[in-house]
């Protein structure tokens, strides 16, 4: 026991558990300052309750976790997080297999409990638990999170220091992004894309999944390491859209109906994307700090003529939505060369930069010879389509 009367971070009495309803609400109150964005505290509580009922999260799709002291009479929550159960797929040794991927979010230690190792202990306990959590007849080959803590990596005194999450097995992946200001004049720069609405997304998500599986099946069976992807299914898109609709209704009394854009009508030649809006500025009339994120961008044939122009038309449609909803930019994570070319068609000054927040980090559960996940995950697998839709 530490002098403060609190257990040390390595105390054997600390254990992982699920919170009571009261503890869940208390955690929301404490972490609201970090994650409520433009919402009031009361509205943030309602949003979190609301999101438990959307398809991806309901029926135990979302799990709350807390670190507690099993020996204490007065139970305290020292740290907590949430996990979402998502569908994933892997290609390895010439086979394509389905998997479960747990996406970790809202990792939080209250200020009064920081500096004692509770956050690190939470993650150390969580990693092994997720390997068999809600896996059914499949496996959980990897789990992911998006880190806002610490440096991705750096060298000091000749020694390599890993990030907070890498110390517990979640290793950083490349995290470039490209942004186009909503003030960009996109008129005449490209063609005109058609807008997408909620009832059109399910069919496109299925087409996207088919393309991903076909690509994985085409990979060399002698590849050095597996290739993995989170399935960008309709439930995942609906979860993101439920978040944006709740916030939009709170701020503006209406919800956005345009969910993305598509260019082309011939199957096999189409390009489309889905997006989501995020508001952090509490002044609903200002756009600073607010973003339209590209959740997922799909190109059916990268060799098709004028494909970069088609992508640019999607961005142009996104810019129009950004202006209409007080958003400062259109932003995409991990842009391909084609995407970069398309962005520069609209804004020649658009550049790729490395993100300083929401660093994608992956823990590989598939190596029995590395139970503590010390080997960097970038050496264990290739993660494709590492785009915003995977975030939670």
């Amino acid at each position: 026991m530490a002098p403060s009367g609190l257990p040390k971070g390595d105390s054997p009495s600390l254990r992982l558990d699920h919170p009571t309803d009261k503890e869940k609400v208390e955690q929301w109150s404490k972490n609201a300052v970090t994650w409520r964005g433009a919402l009031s505290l009361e509205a943030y509580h309602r949003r979190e309750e609301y999101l438990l009922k959307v398809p991806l999260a309901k029926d135990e799709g979302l799990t709350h976790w807390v670190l507690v002291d099993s020996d204490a009479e007065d139970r305290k929550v020292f740290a907590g997080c949430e996990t979402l159960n998502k569908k994933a797929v892997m290609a390895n040794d010439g086979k394509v297999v389905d998997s479960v991927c747990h996406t970790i979010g809202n990792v939080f230690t209250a200020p009064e409990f920081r500096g004692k190792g509770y956050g690190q202990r939470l993650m150390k306990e969580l990693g092994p638990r997720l390997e068999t959590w809600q896996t059914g007849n499949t496996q959980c080959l990897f789990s992911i999170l998006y880190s806002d803590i610490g440096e991705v990596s750096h060298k000091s005194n000749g020694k390599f220091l890993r990030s907070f999450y890498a110390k517990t097995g979640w290793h950083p992946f490349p995290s470039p992004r490209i942004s186009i200001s909503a003030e960009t004049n996109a008129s005449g720069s490209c063609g005109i894309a058609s807008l997408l609405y909620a009832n059109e997304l399910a069919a496109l998500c299925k087409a996207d999944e088919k393309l991903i599986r076909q690509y994985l099946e085409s990979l060399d069976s002698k590849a050095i390491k597996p290739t993995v992807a989170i399935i960008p299914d309709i439930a995942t898109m609906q979860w993101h859209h439920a978040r944006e609709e709740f916030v939009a209704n709170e701020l503006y009394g209406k919800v956005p109906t345009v969910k993305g854009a598509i260019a082309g009508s011939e199957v096999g030649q189409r390009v489309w994307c889905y997006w989501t809006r995020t508001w952090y500025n509490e002044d609903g009339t200002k756009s600073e700090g607010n973003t339209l994120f590209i959740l997922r961008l799909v190109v059916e044939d990268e060799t098709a003529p004028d494909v970069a122009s088609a992508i640019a038309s999607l961005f142009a449609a996104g810019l129009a939505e950004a202006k209409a909803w007080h958003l400062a930019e259109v932003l995409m994570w991990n842009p391909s060369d084609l995407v970069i070319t398309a962005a520069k068609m609209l804004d020649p000054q658009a550049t790729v930069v490395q993100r300083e927040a929401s660093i994608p980090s992956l823990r590989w559960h598939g190596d029995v010879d590395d139970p503590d996940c010390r080997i960097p995950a970038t050496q264990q697998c290739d993660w494709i389509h590492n785009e915003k839709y995977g975030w939670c």
Side-chain angles (χ1 to χ4, degrees):
M1 188 72 70
S4 63
L6 298 173
K8 294 182 178 180
D10 60 356
S11 170
S13 66
L14 292 177
R15 65 182 176 88
L16 199 63
D17 200 358
H18 304 297
T20 64
D21 288 343
K22 180 182 178 182
E23 289 171 336
K24 193 186 305 178
V25 172
E26 289 173 347
Q27 286 294 100
W28 290 341
S29 294
K30 290 181 178 182
N31 66 35
V33 67
T34 304
W35 289 305
R36 67 181 175 85
L39 295 174
S40 67
L41 175 60
E42 183 271 336
Y44 174 67
H45 276 239
R46 285 191 286 109
R47 187 192 71 179
E48 296 306 286
E49 288 284 4
Y50 169 71
L51 289 176
L52 292 175
K53 300 177 178 64
V54 302
L56 187 66
K58 70 179 183 179
D59 299 327
E60 299 184 342
L62 185 144
T63 304
H64 294 88
W65 305 88
V66 290
L67 184 74
V68 297
D69 185 357
S70 57
D71 288 347
E73 293 183 7
D74 179 19
R75 170 163 146 154
K76 294 181 175 66
V77 173
F78 298 116
C81 67
E82 302 170 359
T83 57
L84 269 173
N85 186 325
K86 296 184 178 181
K87 297 177 181 178
V89 65
M90 177 189 73
N92 191 32
D93 294 331
K95 299 178 181 179
V96 176
V97 298
D98 290 306
S99 173
V100 166
C101 169
H102 294 291
T103 305
I104 304 162
N106 286 10
V107 181
F108 185 80
T109 302
E112 65 266 29
F113 297 134
R114 290 176 187 169
K116 298 177 174 60
Y118 295 143
Q120 187 169 319
R121 178 64 181 274
L122 170 78
M123 302 310 293
K124 283 185 176 180
E125 296 288 334
L126 182 65
R129 182 75 72 89
L130 292 182
E131 293 182 16
T132 56
W133 182 252
Q134 297 177 334
T135 52
N137 296 322
T138 60
Q139 292 179 282
C140 176
L141 295 173
F142 64 104
S143 56
I144 64 169
L145 54 80
Y146 293 83
S147 171
D148 292 331
I149 297 178
E151 300 288 336
V152 176
S153 65
H154 64 280
K155 292 188 176 182
S156 176
N157 299 325
K159 295 182 179 180
F160 179 77
L161 301 177
R162 295 184 296 170
S163 73
F164 173 87
Y165 288 113
K167 292 176 183 177
T168 53
W170 283 272
H171 300 273
F173 270 66
S175 51
R177 64 174 178 84
I178 194 164
S179 171
I180 307 172
S181 169
E183 298 303 316
T184 301
N185 182 4
S187 61
S189 303
C190 54
I192 300 176
S194 299
L195 301 179
L196 288 174
Y197 298 89
N199 64 333
E200 300 175 273
L201 302 192
L204 291 173
C205 287
K206 289 181 180 179
D208 186 14
E209 180 177 348
K210 182 178 179 181
L211 289 171
I212 291 171
R213 292 182 181 276
Q214 288 174 343
Y215 170 76
L216 293 175
E217 290 168 356
S218 73
L219 295 178
D220 187 348
S221 62
K222 297 180 181 179
I224 297 175
K225 53 186 176 181
T227 298
V228 300
I230 299 172
I231 298 298
D233 58 13
I234 186 61
T236 298
M237 303 309 159
Q238 289 173 338
W239 182 84
H240 283 282
H241 292 151
R243 286 174 61 91
E244 74 162 0
E245 289 171 6
F246 183 95
V247 178
N249 193 53
E250 288 294 314
L251 296 180
Y252 304 109
K254 60 181 181 179
V255 299
T257 58
V258 178
K259 304 302 183 184
I262 186 169
S265 58
E266 181 181 348
V267 175
Q269 301 290 308
R270 299 171 298 178
V271 178
W272 70 84
C273 72
Y274 325 116
W275 55 57
T276 190
R277 304 157 184 84
T278 60
W279 293 271
Y280 291 97
N281 198 317
E282 294 183 39
D283 185 338
T285 66
K286 295 182 179 179
S287 62
E288 183 180 0
N290 302 332
T291 299
L292 186 142
F293 281 100
I294 303 297
L295 288 173
R296 171 79 178 120
L297 191 148
V298 183
V299 178
E300 288 188 308
D301 182 1
E302 294 187 355
T303 66
D306 300 321
V307 66
S309 179
I311 296 172
S313 73
L314 306 183
F315 287 156
L319 288 170
E321 282 295 300
K323 291 177 183 177
W325 286 93
H326 302 286
L327 309 171
E329 62 181 342
V330 172
L331 190 150
M332 182 168 180
W333 288 356
N334 292 297
S336 66
D337 290 342
L338 267 176
V339 167
I340 296 169
T341 298
K344 287 181 175 294
M345 292 175 67
L346 301 178
D347 178 8
Q349 303 304 314
T351 57
V352 176
V353 299
Q354 293 296 316
R355 303 202 301 274
E356 297 180 356
S358 291
I359 308 302
S361 304
L362 184 147
R363 179 182 173 111
W364 182 248
H365 299 292
D367 187 350
V368 295
D369 296 323
D370 183 32
D372 294 327
C373 300
R374 297 186 180 278
I375 300 173
T378 50
Q379 298 177 24
Q380 297 276 37
C381 67
D382 287 326
W383 178 5
I384 62 171
H385 307 311
N386 181 4
E387 300 171 37
K388 177 69 174 182
Y389 75 89
W391 175 93
C392 80

